[in-house]
Amino acid sequence: MNSFSYQRAVDVEGAVQDISTKNKAKFIAGGTNILDLMKVNVERPEHLTDLTHLPLTEIENTEDGGLRLGALATNAVTAWNEQVQQRYPLLSKAILAGASAQLRNMATNGGNLFQRTRCYYFYDTATPCNKREPGSGCSAINGYNRIHAILGTSEHCIATNPSDMCIALAALDAKVNVTGTKGDRVVDFADFHRLPGDRPELDNNLQPDDLVTSIDLPAKTFSKVQYLKLRDRQSYAFAIVSVAAAIELEGETIKDIRMALGGVAHKPWRDKSAEAMMIGKTPTKENFRLLAETVLATAKGYSYNSFKIELAKRAIVRAFTEALQAV
Ligand SMILES: Cc1cc2nc3c(=O)[nH]c(=O)nc-3n(C[C@H](O)[C@H](O)[C@H](O)COP(=O)(O)OP(=O)(O)OC[C@H]3O[C@@H](n4cnc5c(N)ncnc54)[C@H](O)[C@@H]3O)c2cc1C
Ligand code: SF4
């Protein structure tokens, strides 16, 4: 590991000030991703600004009837929070499907948004990777790409976003509260992460000195939900495909529906026009298959991951079938 300087921030202003005045500086929260990347020489910060003592651990109601999740609240505290469990069970299920109990005790909500891809080549500094070393090439496109993306890919990168929490946040239309040297702003979750395009080194649309202070969940809640995560092991493994499904019925027909896919793209994948198409339809397996066919219509497989296309379609049908069984 390279040597680096370290500063523990005690307030938000101090954290932004510290990171913006240091060369090649990064924030550290729970450390469960950035330290792993530093150990394998993928992240090489010259300075770390420690966020763990910032007063951003609260989970509290917002004036508009929603819920605010502090950026420094751990994934475990968030998943087991009574309000989250009762009003946003989709989020709770998604967080609990991720990592392990020990990791969730350390991992923070803010850090989860910034976790980097699990592409094998990104971690292996002996191989070309445009995300790690812009312009060096993508080893995955013609390599072993079983875990890689099938939607929104580019000729420069086919990596996926590995988060479970973010898939539920996308489906719930969360908003991210950000502060930086240019002041405060609110970022719609759909605009937080980005597709690789010709800048795969960028995972999101934030600036390096932007600090996430909290995540807002809207007042709108769903009780019929399912987070279905398909993976190689039942625990401690990232999603091959995941589905965050939420549905609301009025009588015999669909009044509202949300769906985000994980494990298939560089960002949580939402298709709002496909969701809109489902309004007023009956919640049958045939109609969920129609949703799946529509969302996956532009999917493209590579040598080892074409199986994900049919897997994602079947996962969508199963996730909504199970969501309807929720009381
Ligand atoms: C073995 C293993 C298995 C895992 N399995 C899963 C899984 O199945 N599903 C899943 O979703 N996740 C999984 N994870 C990932 C885990 O959820 C993330 O590592 C964790 O959420 C990151 O949070 P952290 O607080 O530790 O972030 P850190 O490692 O401290 O930071 C990560 C990044 O976020 C930035 N950052 C942190 N907080 C802020 C902030 N408030 N504002 C701006 N930038 C910030 C840091 O600068 C850094 O770049 C796994 C991790 C491991 C090690
Ligand atoms: S898929 Fe992206 S992260 Fe993986 S090797 Fe290619 S450029 Fe790197």
Side-chain angles (χ1 to χ4, degrees):
M1 200 190 279
N2 298 315
S3 61
F4 56 89
S5 55
Y6 167 90
Q7 180 69 43
R8 177 175 284 166
V10 291
D11 55 36
V12 167
E13 297 72 24
V16 173
Q17 163 78 10
D18 188 51
I19 200 162
S20 61
T21 52
K22 301 289 192 317
N23 199 29
K24 292 193 183 163
K26 296 280 285 191
F27 291 127
I28 181 169
T32 60
N33 191 218
I34 192 161
L35 287 177
D36 280 358
L37 290 166
M38 287 169 68
K39 286 178 200 165
V40 293
N41 234 357
V42 172
E43 295 274 13
R44 280 166 278 184
E46 291 179 5
H47 180 79
L48 285 181
T49 305
D50 181 353
L51 304 178
T52 50
H53 283 51
L54 298 188
L56 299 174
T57 55
E58 295 297 311
I59 295 179
E60 56 198 354
N61 291 318
T62 55
E63 281 177 9
D64 64 1
L67 194 67
R68 176 162 294 168
L69 312 173
L72 268 297
T74 65
N75 282 180
V77 163
T78 305
W80 294 113
N81 176 276
E82 208 178 316
Q83 295 255 39
V84 175
Q85 292 229 307
Q86 286 176 6
R87 294 169 62 199
Y88 307 98
L90 180 62
L91 178 62
S92 184
K93 282 170 183 276
I95 295 174
L96 294 175
S100 64
Q102 292 90 336
L103 281 159
R104 294 192 297 267
N105 282 338
M106 284 303 294
T108 63
N109 293 334
N112 199 309
L113 270 49
F114 292 87
Q115 64 173 294
R116 307 212 67 189
T117 185
R118 294 283 158 171
C119 170
Y120 331 107
Y121 304 103
F122 176 68
Y123 271 78
D124 179 357
T125 54
T127 60
C129 168
N130 285 325
K131 186 178 279 299
R132 176 171 31 77
E133 209 65 57
S136 61
C138 172
S139 299
I141 287 177
N142 295 313
Y144 187 55
N145 43 40
R146 183 172 177 276
I147 63 169
H148 289 76
I150 51 172
L151 287 163
T153 53
S154 80
E155 59 183 309
H156 303 286
C157 179
I158 59 170
T160 57
N161 180 308
S163 174
D164 291 299
M165 180 182 187
C166 291
I167 309 308
L169 291 175
L172 293 169
D173 277 341
K175 291 183 187 297
V176 185
N177 296 307
V178 177
T179 190
T181 44
K182 292 182 185 146
D184 301 342
R185 66 188 192 285
V186 181
V187 181
D188 286 342
F189 207 78
D191 301 325
F192 187 89
H193 296 102
R194 58 191 302 287
L195 292 177
D198 58 3
R199 296 291 308 276
E201 72 276 18
L202 302 176
D203 296 339
N204 56 62
N205 291 311
L206 267 59
Q207 298 301 313
D209 58 1
D210 278 339
L211 172 72
V212 168
T213 53
S214 58
I215 302 160
D216 285 354
L217 302 173
K220 167 89 187 173
T221 60
F222 290 84
S223 58
K224 293 192 176 302
V225 299
Q226 180 59 300
Y227 185 75
L228 179 63
K229 178 176 180 181
L230 303 178
R231 48 189 152 168
D232 288 331
R233 280 191 308 265
Q234 195 47 35
S235 102
Y236 213 43
F238 291 89
I240 297 291
V241 166
S242 69
V243 184
I247 188 164
E248 186 181 347
L249 301 182
E250 191 168 53
E252 299 294 304
T253 59
I254 298 170
K255 183 181 178 197
D256 200 354
I257 188 166
R258 303 278 183 80
M259 186 185 76
L261 297 180
V264 297
H266 200 256
K267 61 185 287 189
W269 192 264
R270 275 262 328 253
D271 183 337
K272 290 192 179 181
S273 59
E275 292 171 13
M277 174 194 81
M278 296 293 287
I279 307 298
K281 287 193 165 41
T282 48
T284 59
K285 285 191 177 169
E286 292 70 28
N287 281 330
F288 295 136
R289 180 72 194 194
L290 173 68
L291 170 68
E293 294 288 350
T294 308
V295 172
L296 274 301
T298 58
K300 175 186 167 194
Y302 294 82
S303 325
Y304 294 93
N305 72 351
S306 295
F307 74 96
K308 278 192 178 188
I309 299 174
E310 179 59 23
L311 187 68
K313 290 177 184 174
R314 293 184 189 196
I316 290 168
V317 176
R318 186 173 138 200
F320 279 105
T321 306
E322 291 178 359
L324 284 172
Q325 287 156 10
V327 281

